[in-house]
Amino acid sequence: MGYSKCATSGETEVYGVIGDPIDHTMSPAIQNAAFQSTQINAVYVPFCVKKSELKNAIQGIRALGVKGFNVTVPHKVGIIRYLDRIDRTADEIGSVNTIVNSGGLLYGYNTDGAGALKSLEEAGAQVNDKSILLFGAGGASRALAYSFASHAKTIKIINRTMSKAKQLQRRLQKKFEVDVAVIGLSSGLIKDFVDEADIIVNASSMGHGGLVDPPVKQIWLRPSQFVLDIVYNPIKTKLLRIAEEAGATTIDGLHMLVNQGACSFEIWTGKKAPVAAMHDAIRQKVLV
Ligand code: ATR
C-alpha cells in the first residue's frame, strides 16, 4: 500500500516548494504521486514565502528538518546566499530550483536544464551536434542554454532585451566550444534562425496566458523539427499548435515540469523517478 497524505507518521519526511504566489503550483501533485508510487514515507507541501521572509523561512526549514525543497518565483536567485553549497552549474547559471538538506547543510541545484534534455530525449530528439534555437535569455533560458551548450553545434538566441541575450552569449562562449548567435525579437533574421534550427525551444514567458506569442510562422516549420515550449498555461501554446500543424514533434510544458521534478526527486531520494505516475498525476490535475 502506498502512503497517502493521511498516512503520515513520526517517520514521515517533509519536502516542499517555496514561492510567492504558490496557490497554483503543480509540484505537490507531481511529487506526492512520486512518493506514493515508490512507497517512500514522505509528503510534499507548498509554502507561500514572501521575499522579506526568505531568511526566516530558511531558518525554519533547517529547524524543522525539511529534507528537501523546490524553489520557485521569486526566490530562485535570492536563495543562493543562504545555501551552504551550490552545484557548479547552478552557480554559473545563478539560479537554484532544488535544495537538499543533508544533515543541516543546504545544497543547491538547478534541474531545469536536465529536465529539458530529458524531455527532448523522451520525444526522440538528439541534441548532439544539432542547431538549437532558444527564445529567451532569463533564468530558465540560461539553465537550458548551459545544458544544451556541451552537446549542440550551435545555439541561436532570440530575446526581447538584446543586452541580456549578448550577456548569455558571452558566458556560453567563454565556457563552451559551441557557436552562439543572438538577435532581437524584431529582427528580420528570425525566419532564417527558425529555418536553420533542428530544435526550437521557447524558454521565455512568451505564450504564457495566450498573450504575446513567439514570432514564428507555421510555414517556416517542418516535420523534422522538434519544438519544446516550457510554458504550460495554456498547455498547447500557439507555438506548439502551429508546430503540430506543420508536422513537427512537439513537447509541452507539462513534460518539462514533470521531468525537472523527476530530476529533483532523483537528487533527493537517489531513486529513479516514477515518471509515468508523475505524468498521470499532473494530467489528472489539469483536467479537473
Ligand atoms: P524565468 O526565471 O522564468 O526565466 P525571467 O528570468 O524573468 O524568468 O525571464 C523571462 C524571459 O521571458 C526573458 O527572456 C524575457 O525577456 P527580457 O529579457 O527582454 O525581459 C522574456 N519575456 C517576458 N515577457 C515577455 C514579453 N512580453 N515579450 C517578449 N519576451 C518576454
Side-chain angles (χ1 to χ4, degrees), residues 136-141 159-161 164 185 203-206 212:
S141 312
N159 196 48
R160 178 177 61 181
T161 309
K164 278 166 76 181
L185 266 183
S204 78
S205 331
M206 278 189 293
V212 187

Side-chain angles (χ1 to χ4, degrees), residues 73-90:
V73 177
H75 304 307
K76 286 180 169 194
V77 178
I79 189 95
I80 292 174
R81 59 199 287 235
Y82 301 113
L83 301 177
D84 298 296
R85 304 249 198 297
I86 180 165
D87 165 76
R88 198 163 150 204
T89 308

Side-chain angles (χ1 to χ4, degrees), residues 111-251:
T111 64
D112 286 337
L117 283 179
K118 211 169 156 101
S119 303
L120 286 166
E121 246 171 55
E122 259 178 20
Q126 293 297 324
V127 176
N128 273 356
D129 223 24
K130 293 292 189 307
S131 292
I132 300 183
L133 170 58
L134 185 64
F135 281 97
S141 312
R142 280 203 302 278
L144 270 55
Y146 269 72
S147 65
F148 297 150
S150 43
H151 309 278
K153 184 173 73 187
T154 61
I155 298 182
K156 298 194 172 171
I157 299 166
I158 303 179
N159 196 48
R160 178 177 61 181
T161 309
M162 268 303 274
S163 57
K164 278 166 76 181
K166 282 188 174 155
Q167 192 185 29
L168 178 54
Q169 178 185 37
R170 279 194 297 275
R171 290 164 81 161
L172 291 170
Q173 282 178 332
K174 205 167 150 192
K175 184 170 164 71
F176 302 97
E177 305 262 305
V178 66
D179 270 344
V180 186
V182 299
I183 54 172
L185 266 183
S186 52
S187 166
L189 290 174
I190 293 180
K191 178 179 181 299
D192 295 343
F193 271 36
V194 171
D195 191 49
E196 286 152 16
D198 302 301
I199 298 170
I200 297 165
V201 177
N202 176 37
S204 78
S205 331
M206 278 189 293
H208 181 82
L211 298 172
V212 187
D213 290 296
V216 177
K217 291 190 178 157
Q218 186 192 327
I219 47 163
W220 300 348
L221 296 163
R222 56 181 183 276
S224 62
Q225 290 172 316
F226 290 84
V227 181
L228 164 67
D229 201 331
I230 71 163
V231 170
Y232 58 85
N233 175 24
I235 301 168
K236 196 176 279 188
T237 58
K238 184 175 169 215
L239 176 65
L240 291 184
R241 187 163 43 76
I242 63 169
E244 200 176 275
E245 282 163 13
T249 304
T250 59
I251 304 136

